[in-house]
Amino acid sequence: MKKKYNVAVVGATGAVGNEMIRILEERKFPVNRIKLLASDRSAGSTLSFKKKAVKVEVLTEDSFEDIDVGLFSAGGSVSKKFAPIAAKAGCIVIDNTSAFRMEPDIPLVVPEVNPHAIAQYKNRNIIANPNCSTIQMVVVLKPLHDEYVIKRVVVSTYQAVSGTGKLAIDELMNQTKSLFNFQKIECNVYPHQIAFNCLPHIDVFLDNGYTKEEIKMIDETKKIMEDDSIKVTATTVRVPVFSCHSESINIETKKEIAPEKARDILAGSPGVVVIDDPGKERYPLAVTATGKNETFVGRIRKDESVKNGLNMWVVADNLRKGAALNAVQIAEVLVSRYL
Ligand code: A2P
């Protein structure tokens, strides 16, 4: 009989946690028992898994004694404290926060790009799930890098509020309602109004003027692609969209890159769907990528300002490929190849 695993979802009541539960169900991950963990604010509540009500438990140091795989998505401070405790108890942690991503002995994995890195889970029993914007970018960059050798990447993002969590989803909804009713708006999650606005500010600002989100995209891309020579620069922007991150990506390559050939390569790459027929007004859109597992790419065209350049528009569901799906895909490779 196929082996089944005891799985914990840490942050189960959150936007990503909820999606993790749905994706474990959808992809028929071999779950023996599921443990749903959150803060004491959620004590006593229930969530559904495979049509059965499961009680949400409060996360404690003893939560992981009988757990094989833990999917963490309750914020960096929770992961910093509880991931090593879980790992010590024998649970393999797949961590969706930035807590461990850049530690050299912790693998940072996108299964379509560097599945072999999962083998390093043995170092500390922790595997890091990359930043949402990085994941959808590297899924598209890797096949082009293999063929043309990417020298430089310039990316600007248009990121959905669901990436900030459930309180941010409520904030966009409430501000929109208030503005339509000529009422004052409340800003609790973001420093400025997010409804009908764009905020060039995701995560905290650093001394060099970049935000931490931008540095995550730069550093994580090099680590996942296993190539420090790729130059990356990023501007990350929060937009009033509930679901899906969109990205304008410009690349410069060593070898000459033809848009038609790039389109063919991407169309045959795992996890990528090309939608690129501008004459018929067909290109990737946040509203149509919502709920989908693939990364969508379109507007593929030559950058005529440089020798070997290409522009693209890349869209993916940030809660799925950008977070929960990628984590479950890592778990699938882990159990099928290593456990
Ligand atoms: P809770 O709902 O009990 O607050 P989001 O990213 O959508 O805001 O969700 C964050 C998730 O992380 C929620 O499930 C939240 O639980 C959980 N969480 C936040 N802080 C803690 C904590 N200290 N211990 C356990 N879970 C936490």
Side-chain angles (χ1 to χ4, degrees), residues 69-222:
V69 178
L71 303 174
F72 277 56
S73 188
S77 56
V78 171
S79 288
K80 274 198 183 122
K81 177 172 175 197
F82 287 94
I85 293 170
K88 198 162 171 232
C91 164
I92 300 166
V93 171
I94 300 170
D95 181 33
N96 190 48
T97 76
S98 62
F100 302 98
R101 287 180 191 151
M102 291 314 294
E103 296 199 11
D105 57 346
I106 296 221
L108 181 66
V109 179
V110 177
E112 292 87 345
V113 178
N114 62 338
H116 50 271
I118 291 174
Q120 295 164 35
Y121 83 89
K122 288 189 181 125
N123 294 344
R124 287 169 64 186
N125 261 6
I126 300 175
I127 302 168
N129 204 41
N131 167 268
C132 42
S133 296
T134 311
I135 293 177
Q136 70 184 69
M137 180 163 83
V138 296
V139 165
V140 167
L141 292 187
K142 181 64 166 65
L144 298 177
H145 187 51
D146 289 345
E147 187 73 23
Y148 300 107
V149 188
I150 295 174
K151 291 197 301 185
R152 182 164 185 252
V153 180
V154 181
V155 57
S156 298
T157 69
Y158 307 68
Q159 297 184 218
V161 296
S162 53
T164 316
K166 58 186 176 183
L167 294 178
I169 298 171
D170 294 344
E171 183 148 306
L172 173 56
M173 182 76 89
N174 292 335
Q175 287 183 359
T176 308
K177 278 197 242 162
S178 298
L179 288 164
F180 275 124
N181 288 298
F182 304 101
Q183 287 166 352
K184 268 184 86 176
I185 59 152
E186 275 186 36
C187 298
N188 298 314
V189 176
Y190 298 114
H192 303 282
Q193 174 184 326
I194 181 64
F196 310 102
N197 203 5
C198 298
L199 309 179
H201 174 186
I202 300 184
D203 209 329
V204 293
F205 280 101
L206 305 172
D207 289 343
N208 62 359
Y210 279 74
T211 62
K212 204 169 158 196
E213 183 83 351
E214 289 157 355
I215 299 301
K216 284 179 205 165
M217 287 195 81
I218 294 166
D219 293 345
E220 292 180 21
T221 297
K222 295 176 190 196

Side-chain angles (χ1 to χ4, degrees), residues 22-33:
R22 296 287 78 80
I23 290 173
L24 287 168
E25 278 177 349
E26 267 173 41
R27 293 174 72 91
K28 300 188 171 48
F29 188 83
V31 175
N32 177 50
R33 194 161 65 77

Side-chain angles (χ1 to χ4, degrees), residues 314-333:
V314 174
V315 181
D317 187 322
N318 56 301
L319 295 181
R320 288 197 154 238
K321 187 56 190 162
L325 171 66
N326 199 72
V328 174
Q329 285 177 305
I330 293 172
E332 288 170 350
V333 178

Side-chain angles (χ1 to χ4, degrees), residues 276-306:
D276 200 12
D277 194 353
K280 292 190 177 138
E281 296 172 356
R282 295 197 70 242
Y283 30 74
L285 292 172
V287 288
T288 43
T290 299
K292 306 265 168 51
N293 289 342
E294 297 84 3
T295 297
F296 298 89
V297 55
R299 300 290 324 278
I300 301 168
R301 64 204 190 278
K302 199 169 169 50
D303 170 2
E304 292 173 343
S305 70
V306 291

Side-chain angles (χ1 to χ4, degrees), residues 10-17 37-43 56-59 73-75 77-78 82 162-169:
V10 180
T13 52
V16 173
L37 297 162
S39 79
D40 49 12
R41 290 179 291 272
S42 301
V56 177
E57 298 174 40
V58 178
L59 173 66
S73 188
S77 56
V78 171
F82 287 94
S162 53
T164 316
K166 58 186 176 183
L167 294 178
I169 298 171

